[in-house]
Amino acid sequence: MASFLELEKVNVSRGGATVLHDVNLRLEAGEHIAILGPNGCGKSTLIKTMMCELYPLALEGTRVRIFGRERWDLTELKRRLGVVQTELPGKPTLKTTGLDAVLTGFFSSSTLWPNLRVTETMRERAERVLELVGATELREKLVGEMSAGQQRRVMIGRALVGSGAGTGKAMPGASEMLLLDEPSNALDLAAQQELRSMLRHLAQQGTGILLITHHIADILPEIGRVILMRDGRIVADGLKAELLTAERLSELFGVEVEVVERD
């Protein structure tokens, strides 16, 4: 597999305090990975570093490479990273439909501004992605009228549209890595189940998934690699079967955890 991310001796500071400490990590494109840890352990800071929203301290030996490159035009990088947000960035117009929201993924914009040119190829791809994520019925529905679960489904489509994952045709230079930061937050039990079922389908279609969560139930059967974080450090990195144990999780979360394996 091609390398998606390489971090070497990465330290990141926020608000005058160092919140990531000596992080060394290599992720391959197409992997299915979960980063698990309690609130405040540095998970969200790590994903913001991957997205170049935060930058590491300039220390000797520090290196960040994304898709093999150390320097990026941020607009280009956003098009290659399938980052799932909980809602559209900025302030979408009141007329933004599900289809329009997916199309904004081509431009990393909050709405389809008049200066943005949407081609027929883009529209066809957006229609295929809506079908892939099971959201064809949301095509004409206004984003502001959708439930939280419906919006999350559309946002996953928005993140995927540039890659063409599951459609057999990727946009030039696009990746097939989907980054999800606490995707089940604010969803009820039914919406969580629908979300996990959709993510399983995408994983089985070959889409790479990087899932950041503190909910053990978010870790899909298709995820084989788990990274544990605590106090801004990676404390374990290995196979899911080896790390999702009662002993490991009790130590990680500081509370007694019982693990039951089904099927």
Side-chain angles (χ1 to χ4, degrees), residues 116-160:
L116 300 177
R117 179 174 176 270
V118 178
T119 67
E120 189 60 31
T121 298
M122 289 179 177
R123 290 191 180 277
E124 292 175 358
R125 198 178 309 274
E127 296 279 7
R128 289 200 296 269
V129 168
L130 280 173
E131 183 177 355
L132 179 67
V133 300
T136 53
E137 75 280 5
L138 303 176
R139 184 184 186 280
E140 300 297 333
K141 188 168 185 175
L142 299 181
V143 172
E145 297 177 357
M146 296 180 189
S147 68
Q150 290 173 332
Q151 288 186 10
R152 200 68 46 87
R153 194 174 284 269
V154 168
M155 290 304 98
I156 290 175
R158 180 181 186 270
L160 283 173

Side-chain angles (χ1 to χ4, degrees), residues 52 62-72:
C52 294
T62 295
R63 186 175 74 157
V64 177
R65 292 173 63 88
I66 305 172
F67 299 119
R69 288 166 51 182
E70 296 187 12
R71 293 183 180 274
W72 280 91

Side-chain angles (χ1 to χ4, degrees), residues 69-80:
R69 288 166 51 182
E70 296 187 12
R71 293 183 180 274
W72 280 91
D73 175 279
L74 293 186
T75 302
E76 180 187 358
L77 180 60
K78 285 182 178 180
R79 289 172 181 164
R80 292 201 60 180

Side-chain angles (χ1 to χ4, degrees), residues 66-238:
I66 305 172
F67 299 119
R69 288 166 51 182
E70 296 187 12
R71 293 183 180 274
W72 280 91
D73 175 279
L74 293 186
T75 302
E76 180 187 358
L77 180 60
K78 285 182 178 180
R79 289 172 181 164
R80 292 201 60 180
L81 284 177
V83 180
V84 178
Q85 299 171 295
T86 56
E87 57 187 18
L88 277 172
K91 295 182 178 180
T93 68
L94 297 177
K95 297 182 179 180
T96 301
T97 65
L99 177 62
D100 289 343
V102 171
L103 285 168
T104 63
F106 286 113
F107 308 102
S108 299
S109 62
S110 60
T111 194
L112 292 178
W113 302 108
N115 63 305
L116 300 177
R117 179 174 176 270
V118 178
T119 67
E120 189 60 31
T121 298
M122 289 179 177
R123 290 191 180 277
E124 292 175 358
R125 198 178 309 274
E127 296 279 7
R128 289 200 296 269
V129 168
L130 280 173
E131 183 177 355
L132 179 67
V133 300
T136 53
E137 75 280 5
L138 303 176
R139 184 184 186 280
E140 300 297 333
K141 188 168 185 175
L142 299 181
V143 172
E145 297 177 357
M146 296 180 189
S147 68
Q150 290 173 332
Q151 288 186 10
R152 200 68 46 87
R153 194 174 284 269
V154 168
M155 290 304 98
I156 290 175
R158 180 181 186 270
L160 283 173
V161 73
S163 72
T167 67
K169 296 181 180 180
M171 295 295 286
S175 76
E176 291 199 356
M177 287 298 296
L178 191 60
L179 279 62
L180 303 107
D181 188 3
E182 307 287 2
S184 64
N185 278 2
L187 300 183
D188 62 25
L189 292 177
Q192 289 179 34
Q193 185 179 27
E194 290 180 3
L195 172 68
R196 290 164 187 154
S197 176
M198 177 181 56
L199 292 177
R200 291 198 65 188
H201 175 67
L202 293 174
Q204 292 163 7
Q205 292 286 318
T207 302
I209 291 178
L210 175 59
L211 174 68
I212 293 183
T213 186
H214 60 267
H215 295 297
I216 299 172
D218 282 343
I219 300 178
L220 312 172
E222 287 73 19
I223 288 177
R225 179 182 175 189
V226 173
I227 296 167
L228 304 183
M229 289 191 68
R230 186 178 64 242
D231 299 328
R233 301 178 186 275
I234 293 177
V235 296
D237 181 354

